[in-house]
Amino acid sequence: ALRQDELGAYMGAKDVWVEGYIVGADVTNSSVNFTPPFEKSSNLAISSFSAASSREQCSAVELVTTGGIRAELNLVDHPEHLGKKIILKGNIENYFGSPGVKGVKEYYIE
């Protein structure tokens, strides 16, 4: 699996496995919420650094509504996922202004 901090070199790649730590949610172009409560169930922030503290250290992950992925992974309903390592399969695309993961099809939480 690619590390989160390697995504920029793989823009446009499809069905790629990416690993990182779930460090937050409520991602925008310039910010990430690193502490509960979280407000948006539509995305996660992952990072290669478990103690990430800036938007630049993170990539946004789109939580699609199909297949139950949003319901299973979002931090609004599952704050217990915060800090866990995750491996996900999706497409590397521009998401909130930087390389992110969209169209997640599969995932594993360690």
Side-chain angles (χ1 to χ4, degrees):
L2 296 175
R3 293 190 345 241
Q4 168 273 325
D5 58 356
E6 299 174 314
L7 294 186
Y10 294 90
M11 287 291 281
K14 306 282 187 208
D15 295 332
V16 178
W17 287 99
V18 177
E19 67 179 15
Y21 294 94
I22 299 172
V23 295
D26 305 337
V27 181
T28 69
N29 281 10
S30 59
S31 69
V32 170
N33 182 5
F34 295 101
T35 54
F38 298 101
E39 297 175 7
K40 295 178 189 161
S41 61
S42 57
N43 64 62
L44 290 176
I46 64 168
S47 179
S48 295
F49 311 100
S50 59
S53 59
S54 71
R55 173 67 180 94
E56 294 71 33
Q57 293 175 307
C58 301
S59 292
V61 175
E62 174 191 50
L63 297 180
V64 295
T65 54
T66 53
I69 286 174
R70 180 178 292 185
E72 295 162 13
L73 288 181
N74 81 82
L75 292 181
V76 175
D77 297 321
H78 299 285
E80 70 274 10
H81 292 332
L82 189 64
K84 290 186 177 175
K85 191 168 189 181
I86 189 167
I87 302 173
L88 356 106
K89 183 181 185 182
N91 304 325
I92 311 306
E93 299 179 29
N94 186 318
Y95 190 37
F96 290 113
S98 58
V101 183
K102 296 181 88 171
V104 174
K105 296 177 181 73
E106 297 178 59
Y107 70 90
Y108 302 95
I109 292 183
E110 293 184 356

